[in-house]
Amino acid sequence: DTAVSQTPKYLVTQMGNDKSIKCEQNLGHDTMYWYKQDSKKFLKIMFSYNNKELIINETVPNRFSPKSPDKAHLNLHINSLELGDSAVYFCASGQGRESYTFGSGTRLTVV
Amino acid sequence: GESVGLHLPTLSVQEGDNSIINCAYSNSASDYFIWYKQESGKGPQFIIDIRSNMDKRQGQRVTVLLNKTVKHLSLQIAATQPGDSAVYFCAENRGDKIIFGKGTRLHILP
């Protein structure tokens, strides 16, 4: 069983569109995260949710809206996509102060 | 701002040799570091961690050294294999979030 799974793996879309990326974890962790990895492999945290509650929002544009229906799911909705949103987005989950488990990423390409 | 970062973007090592990947951090209060490995098309994967009450920790073929005096840590991989080819990140666990350094790509030469 995949511990942290995110869909889709690839997403190609036009500027201005709205898209969602889904993430699910079956590890029973309380906290979930979204990270963005740019073309230079730099990984930056975007959001964290603890038991469905937003904990961290790292000055991400309002076009990005995370939603956590329950503690096993954290979805990322992006409105009015821009070229600069092209990146690989990683979902992760963690418990306490232990290391995170990451999903395999969603490569978003905005054309 | 305070950060954690790697010294070299790329490291090429002969297969069978030992690899050493270095990382520096700026906050002397940092107390928990993690090394991750990211293979192509995959997410970062935990390798080994170290807390500030230790200066060395060993795993299977990997060793992490922490020098708090100069705010430096390193990842040593013994007898490097083709499967070690990846991007390696040092990261700081700040409690509410994990901050990643820039990453070093490890190339294995045949």
Side-chain angles (χ1 to χ4, degrees):
Chain A
D1 278 347
T2 304
V4 179
S5 59
Q6 48 183 114
T7 56
K9 189 166 177 63
Y10 301 97
L11 187 52
V12 181
T13 188
Q14 290 187 323
M15 275 195 304
N17 283 352
D18 303 337
K19 290 294 178 186
S20 292
I21 307 171
K22 295 186 175 181
C23 180
E24 176 181 4
Q25 55 100 0
N26 63 5
L27 297 166
H29 290 163
D30 286 333
T31 311
M32 295 184 72
Y33 307 84
W34 279 108
Y35 279 78
K36 179 180 180 180
Q37 187 171 48
D38 63 22
S39 59
K40 295 182 180 175
K41 296 292 187 183
F42 185 57
L43 268 161
K44 184 171 167 54
I45 190 169
M46 300 172 68
F47 300 102
S48 75
Y49 266 74
N50 184 284
N51 204 8
K52 302 191 295 177
E53 187 179 334
L54 178 67
I55 303 298
I56 291 175
N57 179 338
E58 290 279 318
T59 60
V60 179
N62 291 339
R63 298 182 296 102
F64 290 78
S65 52
K67 293 229 174 3
S68 182
D70 54 61
K71 77 171 195 176
H73 296 83
L74 180 61
N75 304 322
L76 184 64
H77 188 76
I78 315 170
N79 289 328
S80 303
L81 277 154
E82 300 176 357
L83 292 177
D85 297 331
S86 295
V88 182
Y89 292 84
F90 287 98
C91 177
S93 72
Q95 187 71 22
R97 215 183 163 198
E98 299 307 311
S99 174
Y100 303 164
T101 301
F102 284 82
S104 57
T106 295
R107 181 175 292 277
L108 172 65
T109 303
V110 182
V111 297
Chain B
E2 294 168 339
S3 64
V4 57
L6 292 180
H7 288 183
L8 284 176
T10 304
L11 178 66
S12 296
V13 174
Q14 207 78 34
E15 184 178 346
D17 286 353
N18 296 337
S19 302
I20 300 176
I21 302 172
N22 295 303
C23 181
Y25 61 96
S26 58
N27 184 359
S28 55
S30 300
D31 65 351
Y32 183 14
F33 299 93
I34 305 172
W35 282 97
Y36 288 91
K37 173 186 182 183
Q38 186 180 19
E39 297 175 275
S40 180
K42 297 183 180 179
Q45 184 181 14
F46 172 89
I47 303 173
I48 193 167
D49 60 0
I50 190 166
R51 296 178 193 259
S52 60
N53 60 349
M54 303 175 75
D55 51 22
K56 180 179 180 178
R57 192 152 188 236
Q58 288 184 289
Q60 188 177 15
R61 282 201 308 118
V62 294
T63 301
V64 55
L65 299 177
L66 175 61
N67 185 329
K68 294 179 283 295
T69 303
V70 296
K71 291 185 280 199
H72 178 274
L73 65 158
S74 65
L75 176 71
Q76 300 178 9
I77 304 173
T80 310
Q81 303 169 357
D84 295 328
S85 181
V87 178
Y88 290 82
F89 294 93
C90 64
E92 179 193 351
N93 190 332
R94 295 186 180 176
D96 62 340
K97 59 188 173 186
I98 291 178
I99 303 298
F100 283 77
K102 286 195 172 69
T104 289
R105 183 176 293 280
L106 180 62
H107 288 287
I108 314 302
L109 305 171

